[in-house]
Amino acid sequence: MMATEEDMNFKIIRDAVDKPCTNLLQEVLRQHISEKDFYKKLKEQVTKDKIWPHLSKDQREKLYPDNDDFKGSYADFDVSLLYKLIRNLSGIPGHAKGWGKPEINDNSLAAHIERIRLLRNHISHSSTSQLTDQEFNEKWKILIFCIQEIEKTLPPERRKFEDAAKKIMKEARNQENIGKSLTKCKGI
């Protein structure tokens, strides 16, 4: 069975959040806390006390494995954990409302990070795996704008996330067009 356009819309947004946006948030965290310093920071009791209440059981086990120190890297973190670490440990100030859903015209770094988290939550907890074209266009516009604005805070050599997101969409649309063409050929 071939995926519908609504299925493809959902997949594009999901993949753009799961890949480029996750990598983007890893870079944001890296800009504020180097990975080398992160290992040290996790060992500090004040850090553990600050972050612990915000972590899920899986996240606690990842950062604080039994009888051992964290030995992973930022590449091991998803959007949810990255958001919690950025919010609580990076020193990035909250947006105009603190943290949580930002005002529509708030262009602070925290507001853009928050919008990516909210989009991730919407996609991850959706009861359907479909987005209409209108829903897709609205979400895509927000996603690309947030990526662009966050990238402005990074050194130029680190600005690659918008291109990665657009590549996901281009490849998905090409795949969709090939599928449509094949379907038409079968009907001939």
Side-chain angles (χ1 to χ4, degrees), residues 17 78-80 116-125:
V17 170
D78 63 4
V79 169
S80 178
I116 288 174
R117 179 191 69 87
L118 292 169
L119 186 54
R120 176 255 173 218
N121 286 352
H122 175 79
I123 293 297
S124 294
H125 302 292

Side-chain angles (χ1 to χ4, degrees), residues 102-114:
E103 296 290 338
I104 195 160
N105 60 351
D106 189 333
N107 283 316
S108 66
L109 176 57
H112 296 302
I113 292 167
E114 192 71 60

Side-chain angles (χ1 to χ4, degrees), residues 89-168:
L89 302 179
S90 73
I92 295 172
H95 54 74
K97 292 172 92 177
W99 287 93
K101 188 174 181 180
E103 296 290 338
I104 195 160
N105 60 351
D106 189 333
N107 283 316
S108 66
L109 176 57
H112 296 302
I113 292 167
E114 192 71 60
R115 288 183 187 101
I116 288 174
R117 179 191 69 87
L118 292 169
L119 186 54
R120 176 255 173 218
N121 286 352
H122 175 79
I123 293 297
S124 294
H125 302 292
S126 179
S127 60
T128 178
S129 296
Q130 296 184 327
L131 291 172
T132 65
D133 287 343
Q134 180 180 347
E135 291 169 322
F136 170 80
N137 290 331
E138 289 168 4
K139 290 177 185 348
W140 185 254
K141 183 178 173 183
I142 291 167
L143 184 70
I144 293 299
F145 181 69
C146 289
I147 291 171
Q148 291 169 339
E149 293 300 305
I150 294 171
E151 281 190 326
K152 289 178 184 177
T153 71
L154 302 176
E157 68 274 9
R158 299 285 190 197
R159 297 179 188 173
K160 57 189 176 197
F161 307 100
E162 179 184 1
D163 290 342
K166 287 181 175 178
K167 182 178 178 186
I168 286 170

Side-chain angles (χ1 to χ4, degrees), residues 27-43:
E27 192 60 37
V28 168
L29 185 59
R30 194 173 289 113
Q31 294 298 312
H32 293 272
I33 308 170
S34 72
E35 291 195 51
K36 185 177 111 184
D37 290 340
F38 183 72
Y39 301 121
K40 294 176 197 170
K41 194 168 190 70
L42 276 181
K43 290 182 178 185

